[in-house]
Amino acid sequence: MFACLFKTASPLEQFEEGKRSWNEFTAKEQSSIVNEFLPKVRYLAQMLKKRVPVSMEAADLFNAGVVGLLEALSKYDPRSGNRFSTYAESRINGAMLDELRRRDPLSRATRTLVKTLSAAIDKFESRYGRRPSERELCKASKLSLEDVRKGLQAMEQQVSTDMQALAETLTNEALESGGTPCSSAIRNENVANIRFCLTKLSEREQFILSMSYVEEYSLKEIAQALKVTEGRVSQLRSQAIRRLQDIYTKHFGR
């Protein structure tokens, strides 16, 4: 009964409370802290996996997240006023995003395809004042339907990946992942670019993207807020992502 009153704080609790620095723990204690956080790393990897190309394995994201966790453990300062769990999550997400960009899922051929489609879309919209259908894009770009769909999918995947970086900023988490200055600068630039592009969307489009990617509400919850069907929300979200990609490509050449 009295033992619980004098229970020794766990290594993680001691670490978060600033009672001991990372280097003051034994190898066994450090291992216990890491193991306690691994389920969180796995969860974050699985959440990000839903938003990235199928070619990116959850295991690869998880491994990158573990690297981010180890960096967070070695650099965390309890005097910063932030809980370690909050600080670590930002570092873990940042490390996984760095891995995504390092691998660059878009091949040179796919990037050429995206560039061709973007030019065709801009030309069509300037002439007709609306976005072209897939069939109209085939005619305008002289590409096959298969290539048009492949290019449109690549465009949407790229924005989805960058939206995750934006979410970090909008939720007041640290943008820097602890990687190289170059990778941090690239991510900062991507976020700044997307922030600009978001201002070009309608309030409804901004609301849907924010609810989906920042607040992580389900389609059902967003549909209830907008008083429309889940199918309509899915359609509106896809349209918003395409519009965001079009604006992004027009201003920043991606």
Side-chain angles (χ1 to χ4, degrees):
M1 175 179 177
F2 293 101
C4 63
L5 298 177
F6 302 98
K7 182 181 178 182
T8 303
S10 69
L12 179 57
E13 291 171 335
Q14 294 178 46
F15 183 60
E16 284 210 297
E17 293 170 5
K19 294 179 178 179
R20 297 165 68 187
S21 68
W22 176 245
N23 293 328
E24 291 175 330
F25 290 100
T26 66
K28 184 178 180 179
E29 289 173 326
Q30 289 181 345
S31 179
S32 73
I33 294 174
V34 171
N35 287 335
E36 192 166 340
F37 249 87
L38 289 183
K40 180 67 172 181
V41 177
R42 186 169 289 104
Y43 169 77
L44 293 173
Q46 291 171 344
M47 292 299 292
L48 182 56
K49 178 66 180 77
K50 297 177 182 178
R51 301 174 180 171
V52 300
V54 294
S55 59
M56 191 68 187
E57 297 290 339
D60 295 326
L61 292 173
F62 173 77
N63 291 335
V66 171
V67 172
L69 171 62
L70 294 176
E71 289 177 344
L73 287 165
S74 64
K75 296 181 179 181
Y76 175 65
D77 182 358
R79 294 171 298 180
S80 66
N82 295 321
R83 287 185 57 80
F84 174 71
S85 56
T86 302
Y87 175 77
E89 184 171 332
S90 176
R91 290 273 179 170
I92 292 166
N93 275 324
M96 291 191 294
L97 287 167
D98 284 346
E99 178 66 11
L100 276 173
R101 291 191 174 84
R102 185 184 70 80
R103 294 197 174 206
D104 192 1
L106 298 187
S107 65
R108 181 176 298 180
T110 304
R111 286 196 176 279
T112 300
L113 195 60
V114 168
K115 187 175 181 180
T116 300
L117 278 179
S118 296
I121 290 172
D122 284 345
K123 186 175 181 180
F124 188 96
E125 287 187 337
S126 296
R127 183 173 182 180
Y128 298 103
R130 62 177 177 83
R131 186 182 178 86
S133 66
E134 290 182 346
R135 296 290 180 182
E136 289 170 329
L137 261 182
C138 289
K139 184 176 180 180
S141 63
K142 296 182 173 57
L143 294 171
S144 67
L145 181 59
E146 180 182 357
D147 282 343
V148 166
R149 287 175 175 171
K150 181 180 178 181
L152 290 174
Q153 182 182 29
M155 292 165 74
E156 183 167 338
Q157 287 172 342
Q158 185 61 54
V159 172
S160 294
T161 300
D162 284 340
M163 283 297 295
Q164 181 68 19
L166 177 67
E168 286 185 85
T169 300
L170 295 182
T171 50
N172 297 318
E173 293 178 356
L175 187 59
E176 181 187 3
S177 74
T180 64
C182 179
S183 64
S184 295
I186 290 173
R187 189 165 59 257
N188 286 342
E189 181 181 4
N190 284 339
V191 170
N193 291 346
I194 295 178
R195 277 184 176 277
F196 168 80
C197 294
L198 280 172
T199 64
K200 306 298 181 181
L201 298 179
S202 68
E203 289 187 6
R204 191 183 206 188
E205 290 170 328
Q206 291 182 45
F207 174 79
I208 290 173
L209 292 181
S210 176
M211 292 283 280
S212 293
Y213 292 99
V214 180
E215 303 297 336
E216 297 187 348
Y217 279 76
S218 67
L219 289 178
K220 181 178 181 180
E221 291 171 321
I222 300 173
Q224 290 174 343
L226 294 177
K227 294 182 172 55
V228 296
T229 65
E230 290 181 47
R232 179 55 177 162
V233 171
S234 179
Q235 181 184 39
L236 290 172
R237 185 173 65 180
S238 295
Q239 291 175 356
I241 289 176
R242 285 197 295 270
R243 285 229 321 126
L244 187 64
Q245 177 64 65
D246 291 345
I247 297 169
Y248 195 100
T249 301
K250 179 178 179 181
H251 288 277
F252 305 106
R254 281 270 298 278

